[in-house]
Amino acid sequence: PACKTEINQWRQQKPWLESVNAAITAVNAEHYDSAQVYAQRALTIDRRAPYAYTVLATVASNKKDYPTAVAMLRKAVDAASADTIYNDARQNAMYDLGNTLFTEYDAATGADKATLGKQAIEAWEAYIPVGNQDARVARAQAAAAQIALALKDTAQYSRIYAAVLANPGKYGDQAVLNAGVIATQ
């Protein structure tokens, strides 16, 4: 326990870095089986960084295994929340989580649809206040509003734009305009 800092530095040296980079390269080349192997190897070495989890989420999404993709993205968000060095990875994972839940919601039927819709809205509501890319924040607002409207959940609907209207200077024109449009609806 006294050597935790030193051990953590060693964990993220060459073997881990090469595994993560190979996983990312493989997933970008759409070699999903290889990406999964490399990501699992990276997680064997170090489970505290978010990158391998996001690769596994991408692999699962491409196999249309949305429950696994959601689980991996939640792990990525958790891992990225542990250190501010991962802020970009955290925001990306949060955005991807909302997108994945929206995709799963869109394909669902029956009672599952409402449950997944609420989970997607929660994911988007968590992302919107921390998102730093205007187009993504606007997309998150629109997707969440679409679900809330379909679920006839007016309380949820008004929370979607609240963060942007409370602090419009933090957001770009697209997100502020989108918040205004959603608010008027």
Side-chain angles (χ1 to χ4, degrees), residues 22-43:
I24 293 168
T25 299
V27 85
N28 288 339
E30 298 180 4
H31 298 145
Y32 300 117
D33 291 340
S34 297
Q36 186 170 358
V37 168
Y38 288 123
Q40 292 291 358
R41 184 179 298 162
L43 287 175

Side-chain angles (χ1 to χ4, degrees), residues 15 19 40 45 63-64 112 129 133-134 142 149 151 162 165 173:
S19 295
Q40 292 291 358
I45 298 168
K63 293 179 180 179
K64 300 199 182 330
D112 287 346
Q133 294 182 22
D134 193 45
L149 194 60
L151 296 177
L165 293 183
D173 293 341

Side-chain angles (χ1 to χ4, degrees), residues 95-118:
Y95 181 78
D96 291 344
L97 177 61
N99 265 337
T100 302
L101 285 164
F102 182 80
T103 300
E104 194 175 11
Y105 156 81
D106 207 30
T109 57
D112 287 346
K113 192 164 187 94
T115 301
L116 290 167
K118 289 177 183 177

Side-chain angles (χ1 to χ4, degrees), residues 92 94-106 120-121 123-125 127-128 131-148 160-161 164 171-179 182:
N92 288 335
M94 291 173 78
Y95 181 78
D96 291 344
L97 177 61
N99 265 337
T100 302
L101 285 164
F102 182 80
T103 300
E104 194 175 11
Y105 156 81
D106 207 30
I121 290 171
W124 289 129
E125 285 179 336
Y127 170 75
I128 290 168
N132 64 1
Q133 294 182 22
D134 193 45
R136 283 184 163 195
V137 170
R139 161 82 172 107
Q141 291 172 314
Q146 179 183 340
I147 296 168
I160 293 164
Y161 59 81
V164 177
Y171 299 93
D173 293 341
Q174 192 173 4
V176 173
L177 177 64
N178 220 35
I182 293 168

Side-chain angles (χ1 to χ4, degrees), residues 13-77:
Q13 291 295 325
K14 189 174 181 179
W16 176 83
L17 187 59
E18 286 179 351
S19 295
V20 167
N21 285 338
I24 293 168
T25 299
V27 85
N28 288 339
E30 298 180 4
H31 298 145
Y32 300 117
D33 291 340
S34 297
Q36 186 170 358
V37 168
Y38 288 123
Q40 292 291 358
R41 184 179 298 162
L43 287 175
T44 299
I45 298 168
D46 189 357
R47 295 187 175 275
R48 293 167 300 116
Y51 309 114
Y53 296 117
T54 59
V55 168
L56 292 174
T58 301
V59 169
S61 287
N62 279 286
K63 293 179 180 179
K64 300 199 182 330
D65 179 2
Y66 300 117
T68 299
V70 166
M72 291 298 106
L73 287 166
R74 290 188 194 283
K75 286 184 177 190
V77 170

